[in-house]
Structures are given as structure tokens and as C-alpha cells.
Amino acid sequence: MSSREVVVLSVGGMRFVTRASTLQQFPESRLARMLNDDDQEFKLVSGEFFVDRDGALFSYIMDFLRTLQVSLPTDFSDYQRLQREAEFYGLYSLANLLSQEHLLKPRLEILEVHFSLQETQAFFRIFGSCSTTIEALAEQITVFTGQQSGQGWNRPFPSQKPLVPLPLERPSHHDVVFLCGIEYSAGDQFVARYFSIKPDSRKLINGTNVLGLLLDTLLNDGFRLISTRTVVSEEKAECYTFERMKRAAGLTITVNQTPGSSGVAQARRSQVQKGK
């Protein structure tokens, strides 16, 4: 039976089709022993292994065996039940991870956008509780500058003159600061700063338009606007607060092979780093 390549399991009325090698990831588990008829709990009925357990939770067991990674939905709450199922199947490394719910539960992420409009310039500061999100956002944003002639807050991007990208100001790992608009110099010369954010290809100079594009980008990225407040009315300073549930970093079981063994010798836990 252990040489069978495709195995069919019926768990709690749900049907699963997998490879024998997937079930043999952990040779000491009951699923691996099942293939050798070493466990009477699993009955072979019409070519399928019948298991009287929770089928919905077994789908997470199968996902773990296929990827060696624990990745649960953000609304998942049955940690203790899934841990019990892992222990039933003899997957004790998985059960150990599930006992540490704080590593697996999603976290609430907060992000604030501070916007201040002063005459022909707009100032922005984006602060986030997750440094990884701020880092990714900083990579999306580009501010271009160039010396131009003429006047006009809503002046379109002058394609005939090259613009130079500016480095964004990063006071800390948790925030990014930039400004856009125009600053007049001698005569009719002025310095223009244009804002662009991927995947949108436009270069915007009007602060209100930039704010709208930035807020839309955050909403499309899964954030939810929870509050808007005026910080300083005289300077037209506003603060927009967003939140979203951030999936926990994936947890991976690293499998070590022992020379001369027929399968997996041991497993240890390691955390996949996906941000601070």
C-alpha cells in the first residue's frame, strides 16, 4: 500500500486526493503509518481511506503537508480544535505551532495620512504601525522635481523638460514625508514637484489630487478609512486614519533528512520573516 502513488481519503464526508509522498512527509505520523496498514483507525472502504474526523479542519492539515507552512485565514478562530486534530494525526510539530496562537493570529494594522495645504504646496506625512507596509509604500511613491517657467497650480506635466526623481524623506522606519506643488523663485521661475505612485502612471502636482490618489491606493490595498479629523484648521492640516487586518507571518516547518533514514527524521520550527 505504501507504494501507491495516489491516495484518496474520505474525512468527515469530504473527499481528498493526494500523493502518498505528501502523507509520508512525517513518517512517524498516523497518516504515514496508515499507508502501511499500521493503524486500525483508518478503514479502507472501496479504495478510499475512511476517517471519522472533521473534514473542514483536515483541509488545513493537507495544506500544511503540501507546503510545510501554516497559513490560516484572517478570520480563523478554531486553533484549539485544529491543534487537537494535528495531535490525532500525530503531527506534533504542527500541534506545537498551533499552541502558540499569538504567532498565527492576524494583527490590526493602523496607518495615518497627515495632509497640510499651504498656498501652492502640499505636505504629506504617512505613518504606519507596520514598517514593512511603509517600506512597500515608499517604493511605490516617486516625487519628481524640475525648474519651470510660467505660473499655474494646475499646470500639466511639462513633457518637454526632464524631471529629476527626489529621494523621499524617511524620519524613521514607520513614516515617510514628501511634498508636492510649486515654489516660486526669481522672476517667473519656479520649482515644481510632481507626485506619482505605482501602478498609476500620472504625475500630479495639485495637492488635493495627490491626496485623492493616495487615499484610493490605500483603499485598494485593503485598508479601511475609520476616521477623518482636522488637526490645525488655520493651516488646513488634516489626518486620515486607516486600519486593516494584517495576516501573520507564515510559519514553516523545516524538515531535516538523516542519512540512511527512509523518510523525514525530525522537524523544527522556523518563522518566515515578512516584516516587523
Side-chain angles (χ1 to χ4, degrees):
M1 189 69 68
S2 60
S3 61
R4 176 184 292 193
E5 183 179 359
V6 178
V7 181
V8 180
L9 301 96
S10 177
V11 185
M14 297 179 65
R15 193 168 183 266
F16 299 87
V17 181
T18 186
R19 293 179 179 273
S21 58
T22 300
L23 299 176
Q24 293 169 330
Q25 289 277 20
F26 298 89
E28 302 304 317
S29 71
R30 298 182 73 177
L31 290 171
R33 299 200 309 269
M34 172 191 72
L35 299 180
N36 297 318
D37 295 325
D38 289 341
D39 197 314
Q40 296 303 311
E41 184 74 29
F42 305 94
K43 305 295 184 181
L44 188 60
V45 181
S46 301
E48 299 183 5
F49 285 100
F50 173 77
V51 188
D52 190 18
R53 303 294 293 192
D54 190 303
L57 292 178
F58 187 71
S59 64
Y60 298 115
I61 300 285
M62 284 304 307
D63 182 65
F64 167 73
L65 291 174
R66 287 167 175 151
T67 65
L68 295 181
Q69 189 173 81
V70 183
S71 181
L72 301 172
T74 55
D75 59 349
F76 185 82
S77 60
D78 288 336
Y79 292 94
Q80 291 185 351
R81 292 182 61 212
L82 184 55
Q83 180 185 349
R84 186 172 65 228
E85 293 301 293
E87 290 172 347
F88 170 81
Y89 292 110
L91 297 169
Y92 298 108
S93 53
L94 173 59
N96 179 52
L97 290 181
L98 292 168
S99 68
Q100 305 177 63
E101 292 185 27
H102 65 283
L103 296 177
L104 298 169
K105 285 185 175 179
R107 296 174 297 163
L108 181 63
E109 181 180 357
I110 301 296
L111 186 143
E112 290 187 347
V113 176
H114 293 255
F115 168 66
S116 176
L117 186 62
Q118 299 179 7
E119 296 182 352
T120 59
Q121 289 187 312
F123 297 82
F124 291 86
R125 177 176 179 261
I126 306 173
F127 175 85
S129 60
C130 178
S131 61
T132 306
T133 298
I134 295 299
E135 185 68 33
L137 196 59
E139 292 178 358
Q140 290 179 258
I141 295 174
T142 305
V143 175
F144 299 89
T145 185
Q147 190 123 23
Q148 309 297 332
S149 299
Q151 298 181 358
W153 168 256
N154 292 302
R155 183 183 178 89
F157 167 59
S159 58
Q160 72 275 16
K161 293 187 177 182
L163 295 178
V164 180
L166 291 174
L168 296 178
E169 184 179 347
R170 297 292 307 277
S172 74
H173 292 296
H174 290 273
D175 54 358
V176 58
V177 177
F178 63 91
L179 62 86
C180 63
I182 58 176
E183 180 181 2
Y184 289 101
S185 57
D188 64 348
Q189 297 293 313
F190 64 89
V191 175
R193 289 185 176 86
Y194 295 84
F195 170 90
S196 178
I197 184 168
K198 299 174 183 177
D200 196 292
S201 60
R202 291 175 294 171
K203 293 181 174 64
L204 303 178
I205 192 172
N206 182 292
T208 303
N209 293 341
V210 171
L211 177 63
L213 177 58
L214 182 58
L215 299 187
D216 285 344
T217 300
L218 295 175
L219 292 173
N220 291 333
D221 200 28
F223 281 96
R224 182 172 67 95
L225 181 63
I226 58 174
S227 71
T228 301
R229 68 182 189 274
T230 300
V231 182
V232 183
S233 58
E234 293 79 7
E235 298 180 358
K236 299 182 180 179
E238 301 172 349
C239 177
Y240 299 82
T241 303
F242 294 82
E243 70 174 18
R244 72 175 176 183
M245 295 303 295
K246 181 178 176 60
R247 185 184 295 274
L251 294 175
T252 298
I253 294 292
T254 302
V255 179
N256 295 332
Q257 294 284 354
T258 300
S261 67
S262 59
V264 179
Q266 59 180 325
R268 64 183 175 86
R269 177 175 60 85
S270 64
Q271 185 168 353
V272 178
Q273 296 296 330
K274 292 185 179 180
K276 301 177 180 179

